[in-house]
Amino acid sequence: MSEIIQPHGNYQELESYQNSVVIFDATSDFCTNFLKKGDRTIDQMIQAARSGKQNIIEGCMASGISSETEIKLIGVARASLEELLEDYRDYLRVHNLPLWDKDDQRIVQIRQLARTKNKSYETYKSYLPSDNAELFCNVMISLIHQTNYLLDRQLKSLADSFAEKGGLRERMYNARVNSRNAKQEKLLSLLREIYRDAAKYNNESLLKKIEEAAKLLKGGKQ
């Protein structure tokens, strides 16, 4: 069974997942603090943030069975966060607020937080004030860029692994072949023992039958 069901889960240890939790929590606060009640953008942003987080979870849990499903779901997470990224950029543009350059020292400082182990919303909270939309949006844009970069690397690694090792069908086929070969090897071993016993009595007819059976078994091995 272990040949078919691959190790999976442990999404909590993924940096991309940790970032996605921060993004979801922060986006909820952003919508509360900076968007008017009833604005349809609220639901869209929260759903995009949630989709990013949940699809990472679902993809990791599905990875034990289907590499194809994992790739698809991580791709959905990546697309959802790209949508959310554009929402934050739109907010800055519509409100005539500047989008900071990636080399801006404030952004460089924020990017250093990525090195923090077991990141949470608290790690970023001091950079996400409820009264400064410019700072809030630029921090979120930087964090989403970092998360998308991690997801791109994850997708490439998954695609490379799938190209090399295949998916569930290949694992099931290999498991069947390995199981059949193991059974055939046991039968061959048993025939060898019978052959040795038959040889003691010089039973040529039985010896020939054993040899024929052994040839048939060997011919059936992959």
Side-chain angles (χ1 to χ4, degrees), residues 105-186:
Q105 286 304 306
R106 292 169 293 184
I107 293 297
V108 172
Q109 184 178 359
I110 292 164
R111 285 206 305 267
Q112 300 305 313
L113 296 175
R115 299 177 180 177
T116 305
K117 291 185 178 180
N118 299 317
K119 296 184 294 295
S120 70
Y121 189 23
E122 293 300 320
T123 307
Y124 289 85
K125 203 161 187 178
S126 63
Y127 295 89
L128 298 168
S130 61
D131 59 351
N132 189 333
E134 177 186 339
L135 174 57
F136 203 116
C137 285
N138 277 287
V139 170
M140 292 303 295
I141 288 169
S142 176
L143 180 57
I144 294 172
H145 272 308
Q146 287 180 312
T147 308
N148 285 345
Y149 170 76
L150 293 171
L151 290 174
D152 285 340
R153 285 177 50 187
Q154 192 172 342
L155 282 169
K156 183 180 185 306
S157 176
L158 290 171
D160 290 345
S161 177
F162 181 76
E164 179 183 353
K165 302 176 183 178
L168 178 63
R169 294 181 186 88
E170 289 80 4
R171 293 200 300 273
M172 290 178 69
Y173 172 77
N174 290 334
R176 287 195 299 270
V177 170
N178 291 338
S179 176
R180 184 166 63 245
N181 286 346
K183 290 177 181 177
Q184 289 173 340
E185 191 58 46
K186 287 181 180 179

Side-chain angles (χ1 to χ4, degrees), residues 47-62:
Q47 285 303 314
R50 182 181 183 278
S51 175
K53 178 171 70 71
Q54 297 301 112
N55 278 289
I56 292 173
I57 296 173
E58 191 174 353
C60 289
M61 296 307 297

Side-chain angles (χ1 to χ4, degrees), residues 7 12-14 26-27 50 70 79 81 89-90 94 96 105 149-151 161 165 167-169 172 177 191-192 201 214:
Q12 297 95 334
E13 298 178 6
L14 289 174
T27 296
R50 182 181 183 278
E70 181 183 16
L81 292 182
R89 287 192 292 226
D90 284 346
V94 169
N96 296 312
Q105 286 304 306
Y149 170 76
L150 293 171
L151 290 174
S161 177
K165 302 176 183 178
L168 178 63
R169 294 181 186 88
M172 290 178 69
V177 170
L191 283 172
R192 292 188 191 102
Y201 301 98

